[in-house]
Amino acid sequence: GIPFESEAQLREKGSAKTPDVVLSCPIGIQVGSQWRQVGWIDSKALYGDLETHRQSVLPQAESYVHRFGPGMILYFFGHAPISLLGDAKGDLVIASWQLPDSFLWPTGAI
């Protein structure tokens, strides 16, 4: 597995706002034909509609991008079309119950 720090561990270290998981070593996730780097994951037990995403989730995710680099939001109940959701200028992967098919592990294995 990949070592990570949980939200609770990050809070113990003094981080006020944290995603669910910060990976100790980023992974690559294939989105379409492009590989995107992911260093943290935050799950949302809701449907990612446009209003909620733009007004609540995206600002929160952008603060994580500033602290931890590119990451992924995982919506448990799906989301609006990706083309309509903001992706923090390319630093955010948005997924739902249908996770990306390919991951690039720190070892170089796919």
Side-chain angles (χ1 to χ4, degrees), residues 27-30 35 41 72 99-105 108-110:
I27 61 172
I29 295 181
Q30 191 170 16
W35 285 96
I41 301 169
M72 180 169 74
L99 290 173
D101 292 330
S102 299
F103 295 87
L104 180 62
W105 303 110
I110 295 178

Side-chain angles (χ1 to χ4, degrees), residues 29-91:
I29 295 181
Q30 191 170 16
V31 179
S33 62
Q34 295 183 340
W35 285 96
R36 307 274 298 277
Q37 181 178 321
V38 169
W40 56 267
I41 301 169
D42 196 41
S43 59
K44 302 294 180 190
L46 49 83
Y47 176 81
D49 64 85
L50 291 175
E51 184 176 341
T52 302
H53 182 79
R54 289 180 182 162
Q55 293 181 5
S56 177
V57 176
L58 188 57
Q60 181 183 46
E62 287 173 336
S63 75
Y64 300 158
V65 168
H66 291 298
R67 288 183 183 91
F68 306 111
M72 180 169 74
I73 295 292
L74 177 60
Y75 284 112
F76 284 8
F77 301 106
H79 51 74
I82 295 286
S83 61
L84 301 177
L85 298 174
D87 68 354
K89 298 180 182 161
D91 287 329

